[in-house]
């Protein structure tokens, strides 16, 4: 009676979700596990993930599904070239590998958007690169490289875990047409993750970001403190984390 069955669906085709939910056996499963790998371009998550999750939840409503939503696999390949590039191996040809910096931002956006759209658990793929054949994208999804050294995604996962532990999603905000921000609550504390939707940087007032005047910390994905001027934070395309601090 304590066992929960999980059914997994790979890709971002919502029709596969509907096919599953139509089957009588779907009632035997407690969890619907999504593996939304956005092959082959791995575009920025805000361009496709909210749409896909809205489709999934719409289908759940249509078919009266009460399955919990998890992501038991999600990630993106990181190219050996620091600037990113194309992999070309076997069936996985012309897959765009991300730069290491881009992959850290990709992770933060995935986690933030997923938690704000009903995903209860997220399992990152994977912990360590599984090989060193440079042409194969499947080898380079790790938080650590093949030699065991941490990548920027390792630090990004750590800081996301530290800041979002025991929080619950609150509001998603559009601060102007270019800044996306997502709030998380922990008792009386507020945390926010924000980024710009273009390649420019903007000064964002911390009150509009955190919802109240308070002492706060602001860091980048590597845990480095961000410069602050007169109650504002400079936000660009790389997600930043800001949290209020108890007085």
């Amino acid at each position: 009676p304590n066992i929960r069955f999980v059914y997994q669906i790979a890709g971002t085709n919502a029709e596969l979700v509907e096919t599953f939910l139509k089957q009588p056996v779907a009632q035997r499963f407690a969890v619907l596990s999504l593996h939304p790998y956005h092959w082959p371009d791995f575009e920025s998550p805000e361009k496709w993930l909210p749409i896909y999750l809205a489709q999934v939840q719409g289908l759940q409503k249509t078919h009266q599904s009460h399955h919990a939503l998890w992501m038991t696999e999600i990630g993106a390949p990181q190219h050996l070239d620091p600037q990113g590039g194309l992999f070309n191996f076997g069936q996985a040809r012309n897959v765009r590998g991300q730069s290491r910096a881009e992959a850290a931002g990709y992770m933060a956006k995935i986690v933030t958007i997923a938690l704000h759209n009903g995903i209860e658990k997220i399992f990152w793929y994977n912990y360590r690169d599984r090989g060193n054949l440079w042409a194969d994208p499947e080898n380079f999804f790790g938080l650590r490289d093949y030699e065991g050294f941490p990548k920027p995604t390792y630090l990004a996962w750590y800081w996301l875990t530290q800041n979002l532990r025991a929080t619950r999603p609150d509001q998603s905000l559009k601060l102007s047409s270019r800044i996306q921000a997502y709030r998380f609550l922990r008792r009386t504390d507020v945390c926010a993750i924000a980024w710009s939707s273009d390649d420019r940087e903007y000064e964002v007032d911390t009150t509009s970001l955190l919802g109240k005047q308070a002492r706060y910390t602001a860091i980048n994905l590597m845990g480095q403190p961000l410069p602050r001027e007169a109650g504002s934070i400079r936000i660009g395309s790389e997600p930043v984390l800001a949290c209020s601090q108890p007085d």
Side-chain angles (χ1 to χ4, degrees):
N2 295 323
I3 294 175
R4 304 173 73 193
F5 288 100
V6 180
Y7 188 86
Q8 69 182 41
I9 295 177
T12 54
N13 184 352
E15 292 181 2
L16 298 177
V17 176
E18 185 167 33
T19 298
F20 167 68
L21 294 179
K22 284 181 176 179
Q23 307 305 316
V25 73
Q27 300 176 17
R28 301 291 185 180
F29 290 83
V31 178
L32 178 57
S33 165
L34 307 176
H35 294 187
Y37 292 104
H38 202 55
W39 296 85
D41 296 327
F42 289 93
E43 295 176 294
S44 189
E46 71 264 29
K47 296 180 179 180
W48 56 270
L49 185 58
I51 297 171
Y52 174 64
L53 294 179
Q55 291 172 335
V56 171
Q57 292 174 331
L59 290 169
Q60 283 191 293
K61 185 176 181 180
T62 298
H63 296 282
Q64 298 182 332
S65 158
H66 301 289
H67 299 88
L69 293 179
W70 294 3
M71 287 182 180
T72 53
E73 262 193 51
I74 183 64
Q78 299 162 58
H79 205 279
L80 290 179
D81 185 328
Q83 303 303 315
L86 291 179
F87 292 104
N88 200 331
F89 182 81
Q91 293 181 345
R93 291 183 179 275
N94 298 322
V95 173
R96 189 177 72 86
Q98 298 180 344
S99 69
R100 290 193 171 193
E102 183 184 13
Y106 188 90
M107 168 186 281
K109 292 177 181 180
I110 286 277
V111 169
T112 302
I113 293 170
L115 292 177
H116 261 264
N117 285 273
I119 302 299
E120 294 182 3
K121 294 179 183 291
I122 303 169
F123 298 78
W124 202 256
Y125 180 83
N126 58 9
Y127 182 67
R128 182 170 176 170
D129 286 352
R130 73 178 195 179
N132 58 4
L133 176 62
W134 68 268
D136 187 353
E138 287 285 355
N139 284 333
F140 299 99
F141 281 77
L143 300 179
R144 294 175 178 267
D145 66 20
Y146 187 64
E147 302 297 329
F149 293 99
K151 301 179 187 179
T153 47
Y154 187 97
L155 274 176
W157 186 259
Y158 171 80
W159 286 111
L160 288 167
T161 302
Q162 289 293 104
N163 282 277
L164 301 185
R165 180 183 287 118
T167 64
R168 66 181 188 277
D170 181 33
Q171 291 178 290
S172 58
L173 309 169
K174 279 275 190 178
L175 306 180
S176 82
S177 61
R178 296 179 177 86
I179 299 294
Q180 298 194 44
Y182 296 81
R183 286 183 191 154
F184 297 84
L185 300 181
R186 182 192 296 110
R187 297 181 182 176
T188 59
D189 297 336
V190 181
C191 286
I193 299 178
W195 63 87
S196 69
S197 56
D198 56 25
D199 293 329
R200 300 175 59 187
E201 292 187 339
Y202 302 89
E203 292 289 339
V204 176
D205 180 80
T206 56
T207 302
S208 63
L209 190 61
L210 298 174
K212 60 180 180 179
Q213 291 284 357
R215 293 191 302 118
Y216 66 92
T217 58
I219 60 173
N220 65 17
L221 295 177
M222 300 299 99
Q224 297 169 320
L226 297 176
R228 297 177 292 177
E229 294 185 10
S232 67
I233 304 172
R234 181 170 289 269
I235 295 177
S237 57
E238 177 186 303
V240 301
L241 299 90
C243 291
S244 64
Q245 293 181 314
D247 293 329

